[in-house]
Amino acid sequence: MEQQPIRVTAPGGDYDIHIQRGLLRQVAALLPKGRPIIITNTTLAPLYGQALAEALSGAALLQMPDGERYKTLDTVAQLYRDLVAARADRDSVIIALGGGVVGDTVGFVAATYMRGVAFVQIPTTLLAMVDSSVGGKVGVDLPEGKNLVGAFKQPDCVLIDPDVLDTLPPAEWRCGMAETYKHYLLSASEGLAALDAPGVDRAAMIRAAVQVKVDVVQQDPFEKNIRAHLNLGHTFAHAVEQVSGYAWLHGAAVGAGLVAAARLSAALQHCEAGLAQQVEETVARIGLPTRFGDLDAERLYAAMATDKKWQGGRSRFVLLRGVGQPFVAHDVPKSAVMSILEGMR
Ligand SMILES: NC(=O)c1ccc[n+]([C@@H]2O[C@H](COP(=O)([O-])OP(=O)(O)OC[C@H]3O[C@@H](n4cnc5c(N)ncnc54)[C@H](O)[C@@H]3O)[C@@H](O)[C@H]2O)c1
Ligand SMILES: [Zn+2]
């Protein structure tokens, strides 16, 4: 039975997020009008891209290389040229088929090619389904830093087929679970309360997690206030990624970052110590690290202090008063943060 899509109200127009097992075989019926052009990566083309192109009566299938290191302006430029060669015009519909790297890069292409063309997201990682495909942020990295160039580009629709997760590498699944658990901590959503239980209904879990992100971005589409709550655990996580020279996967860093944020909340007496314990147990059950290992506490702190969101050197953390009660704390003393970092070695 077809489940109701989730309707999103966005500044650039409303759109639907369809979540349905087997949806990839029914894409044709859901696309906006126009000539579809699929852009994916070299890993996903043989897995899903070619079948999708055939189902769309021979739609063009463009490919970018796989990996965050290709989320660049060079890739964007190559895709513009591939689009010209495929005779894409303002009536084309660009379909991003892939994880967050493909979604962010191709979304930026769709926002700018001929001043913007129709855009459809078909996210294929758990992270892309519950996080990056929702909210309209697209863009690429520069050598100087991640996500430094970008735009807001709302999709015409988002099509989520949980069955494609069967082929997702387990480490990528765990990374998506870190963001899904973050959505639970932000919202106390009932649909996410048992997310690490064996045999959990994947489609239902994704639907609940998408709803949390939709609720946040609808209230704050341009990240002026509460959208900042989505950074729970991420101040720590970005520092871990940076200090480890990106040896840590983002989701793994978020796992440990959620533990740190909960511990800091408890240490500053914003929440009960039991919450920090609960977060740590859940992160461990998901299979993500709960410690920073040999990463030096001073270096982690220094990396956090360069965060562009620490305006004027004032520290800024998203903390919890309880599950579903996030808030932004300013001017947390360095000593409090250092004792969390040192306690998590
Ligand atoms: N725009 C936003 O709001 C937002 C939010 C969060 C993250 N992001 C961005 O998302 C990116 C990370 O995305 P990600 O975690 O999806 O990583 P990813 O796109 O690199 O995908 C991870 C790996 O899984 C492979 N893969 C994807 N789907 C698969 C499938 N179904 N079967 C087998 N293999 C599959 C990919 O080819 C890749 O090798 C980062 O660049 C991050 O900055 C953006
Ligand atoms: Zn994240």
Side-chain angles (χ1 to χ4, degrees), residues 182-188 212 216 226-233 265 270 275 317-329:
K182 179 192 77 179
H183 286 10
Y184 171 68
L185 291 173
L186 293 177
S187 66
V212 173
V216 172
I226 65 154
R227 192 162 177 170
H229 293 164
L230 294 168
N231 286 321
L232 180 69
S265 305
H270 293 301
L275 178 61
F317 289 92
V318 182
L319 298 179
L320 294 170
R321 295 202 166 88
V323 175
Q325 299 172 276
F327 69 102
V328 176

Side-chain angles (χ1 to χ4, degrees), residues 12-328:
D14 298 356
Y15 63 93
D16 284 330
I17 303 174
H18 298 261
I19 304 168
Q20 184 90 38
R21 297 188 56 184
L23 196 64
L24 207 54
R25 293 188 298 272
Q26 304 159 39
V27 166
L30 296 168
L31 291 181
K33 269 223 272 311
R35 186 161 73 92
I37 297 185
I38 304 157
I39 308 183
T40 188
N41 71 23
T42 46
T43 304
L44 292 160
L47 282 173
Y48 305 108
Q50 280 150 11
L52 182 61
E54 278 162 33
L56 297 177
S57 7
L61 179 66
L62 308 182
Q63 302 180 37
M64 60 180 274
D66 188 357
E68 177 81 29
R69 69 181 182 284
Y70 297 105
K71 194 175 125 176
T72 60
L73 288 170
D74 282 343
T75 301
V76 168
Q78 184 60 51
L79 290 173
Y80 290 149
R81 301 182 61 205
D82 294 345
L83 284 168
V84 173
R87 289 198 292 277
D89 60 21
R90 314 244 345 228
D91 295 325
S92 299
V93 178
I94 294 185
I95 303 173
L97 172 72
V101 167
V102 169
D104 281 13
T105 310
V106 174
F108 186 72
V109 168
T112 47
Y113 182 73
M114 297 192 171
R115 295 195 189 80
V117 295
F119 176 48
V120 171
Q121 292 257 30
I122 306 186
T124 63
T125 63
L126 180 58
L127 179 139
M129 292 175 184
V130 304
D131 196 350
S132 61
S133 70
V134 183
K137 282 210 251 174
V138 297
V140 296
D141 303 332
L142 294 180
E144 287 76 10
K146 283 192 58 172
N147 298 321
L148 287 180
V149 177
F152 282 98
K153 170 72 175 171
Q154 304 300 338
D156 290 76
C157 65
V158 180
L159 307 178
I160 297 178
D161 182 348
D163 285 350
V164 303
L165 297 171
D166 287 344
T167 56
L168 189 70
E172 298 295 345
W173 168 264
R174 293 193 289 271
C175 286
M177 284 300 281
E179 307 289 355
T180 307
Y181 183 49
K182 179 192 77 179
H183 286 10
Y184 171 68
L185 291 173
L186 293 177
S187 66
S189 163
E190 251 176 62
L192 297 174
L195 87 177
D196 58 332
V200 65
D201 178 346
R202 224 152 56 174
M205 180 190 81
I206 292 165
R207 176 173 290 271
V210 166
Q211 189 66 57
V212 173
K213 176 125 189 202
V214 166
D215 290 345
V216 172
V217 300
Q218 280 191 157
Q219 286 181 63
D220 182 14
F222 295 117
E223 202 165 340
K224 303 274 186 233
N225 44 68
I226 65 154
R227 192 162 177 170
H229 293 164
L230 294 168
N231 286 321
L232 180 69
H234 278 61
T235 303
F236 291 101
H238 291 147
V240 165
E241 290 182 89
Q242 209 181 312
V243 172
S244 73
Y246 292 90
W248 280 55
L249 282 179
H250 175 70
V254 171
L258 291 173
V259 174
R263 283 185 167 215
L264 185 56
S265 305
L268 298 171
Q269 300 189 318
H270 293 301
C271 73
E272 290 173 12
L275 178 61
Q277 189 62 34
Q278 181 192 326
V279 171
E280 184 162 338
E281 285 166 10
T282 305
V283 168
R285 269 200 303 272
I286 291 170
L288 294 167
T290 58
R291 292 288 179 275
F292 297 126
D294 55 5
L295 299 175
D296 179 62
E298 275 293 351
R299 287 187 62 202
L300 287 173
Y301 192 86
M304 287 193 258
T306 63
D307 189 319
K308 57 183 184 273
K309 295 183 176 103
W310 283 29
Q311 293 125 341
R314 293 177 72 198
S315 72
R316 180 178 177 282
F317 289 92
V318 182
L319 298 179
L320 294 170
R321 295 202 166 88
V323 175
Q325 299 172 276
F327 69 102
V328 176

